[in-house]
């Protein structure tokens, strides 16, 4: 690659991540997952399949749960992003109640899938804050997240239990 084409491949993007503002220079072929994990050091976002199949790399971008391993970093320009590190921010670094529910219900074993599960669930619950949510709805919402340990039942119960608790607090 010549110097001039190298230059052309760089792009400056600005985004909000876990409530903080960032402006960064990225490579045109950089993945959002690499930017988050390798350059920002937010290693709570995991890499599993690397191909959009397992959900380990899930983040919330503009309100939607997305797989950061298949999203070019350039797409983050102007976006608002939440990673697992941002879930409890603003609560004195205490765990978010959804995280507490996962612990209470025994929904965490090896923990590799947990950040992605939590963020898929959080995006789904936020999108449906006024709706009655069933266990089947939750199953559907986390269908893109693979867990090799728990058999899913405890995860579904944890999300369901939090959805009821949250409704009671409205
Ligand atoms: S690592 Fe991104 S979906 Fe599996
Ligand atoms: S807890 Fe191990 S993969 Fe889900």
């Amino acid at each position: 690659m010549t110097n001039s084409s190298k230059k052309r491949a760089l792009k400056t993007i600005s985004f909000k991540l876990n409530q903080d503002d960032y402006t960064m220079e990225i490579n045109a072929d950089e993945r959002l997952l690499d930017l988050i994990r390798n350059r920002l050091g937010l290693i709570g976002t995991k890499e599993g399949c690397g191909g959009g199949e397992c959900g380990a790399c899930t983040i919330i971008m503009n309100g939607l749960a997305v797989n950061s391993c298949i999203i070019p970093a350039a797409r983050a320009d102007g976006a608002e992003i939440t990673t697992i590190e941002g879930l409890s921010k603003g609560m004195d670094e205490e765990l978010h109640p959804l995280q507490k529910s996962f612990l209470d219900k025994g929904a965490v074993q090896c923990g590799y899938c947990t950040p992605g599960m939590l963020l898929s669930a959080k995006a789904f619950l936020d999108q449906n804050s006024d709706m009655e949510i069933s266990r089947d709805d939750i199953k559907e919402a986390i269908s893109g997240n693979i867990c090799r340990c728990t058999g899913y039942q405890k995860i579904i119960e944890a999300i369901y239990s939090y959805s009821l608790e949250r409704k009671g607090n409205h």
Side-chain angles (χ1 to χ4, degrees):
M1 191 183 271
T2 65
N3 276 347
S4 62
S5 57
K6 236 185 209 166
K7 240 183 200 155
R8 272 202 306 274
L10 291 175
K11 180 178 161 64
T12 301
I13 60 167
S14 297
F15 55 94
K16 198 180 264 293
L17 183 126
N18 299 337
Q19 305 301 328
D20 293 327
D21 291 315
Y22 291 84
T23 296
M24 294 178 74
E25 202 168 65
I26 56 152
N27 283 309
D29 58 355
E30 189 169 347
R31 302 180 307 169
L32 186 50
L33 175 63
D34 296 326
L35 183 148
I36 290 170
R37 276 187 65 86
N38 303 342
R39 295 182 59 200
L40 296 174
L42 298 173
I43 57 171
T45 305
K46 306 298 182 199
E47 175 153 19
C49 66
E53 301 290 333
C54 74
C57 64
T58 302
I59 56 166
I60 300 176
M61 184 153 112
N62 298 330
L64 297 175
V66 295
N67 293 323
S68 60
C69 72
I70 52 169
I71 295 185
R75 286 252 311 272
D77 197 21
E80 196 156 323
I81 294 170
T82 303
T83 67
I84 193 64
E85 289 85 355
L87 200 58
S88 57
K89 246 193 180 169
M91 298 181 66
D92 299 320
E93 292 182 12
E94 253 190 56
L95 290 180
H96 187 279
L98 182 58
Q99 291 173 301
K100 287 185 183 162
S101 188
F102 268 55
L103 291 178
D104 290 347
K105 299 288 177 193
V108 182
Q109 287 188 26
C110 81
Y112 204 80
C113 72
T114 309
M117 283 287 184
L118 283 162
L119 292 171
S120 287
K122 176 74 165 57
F124 166 71
L125 292 167
D126 286 351
Q127 283 156 20
N128 296 284
S129 54
D130 295 329
M131 281 175 61
E132 198 81 30
I133 287 163
S134 70
R135 289 177 176 84
D136 281 344
D137 295 330
I138 292 168
K139 224 185 224 176
E140 173 68 28
I142 60 164
S143 60
N145 294 78
I146 292 174
C147 177
R148 299 185 193 282
C149 306
T150 64
Y152 299 97
Q153 212 45 51
K154 290 177 177 177
I155 292 174
I156 292 165
E157 283 312 312
I159 299 167
Y160 186 64
S161 158
Y162 168 68
S163 77
L164 295 180
E165 183 190 313
R166 186 188 65 153
K167 220 162 179 285
N169 289 336
H170 274 182

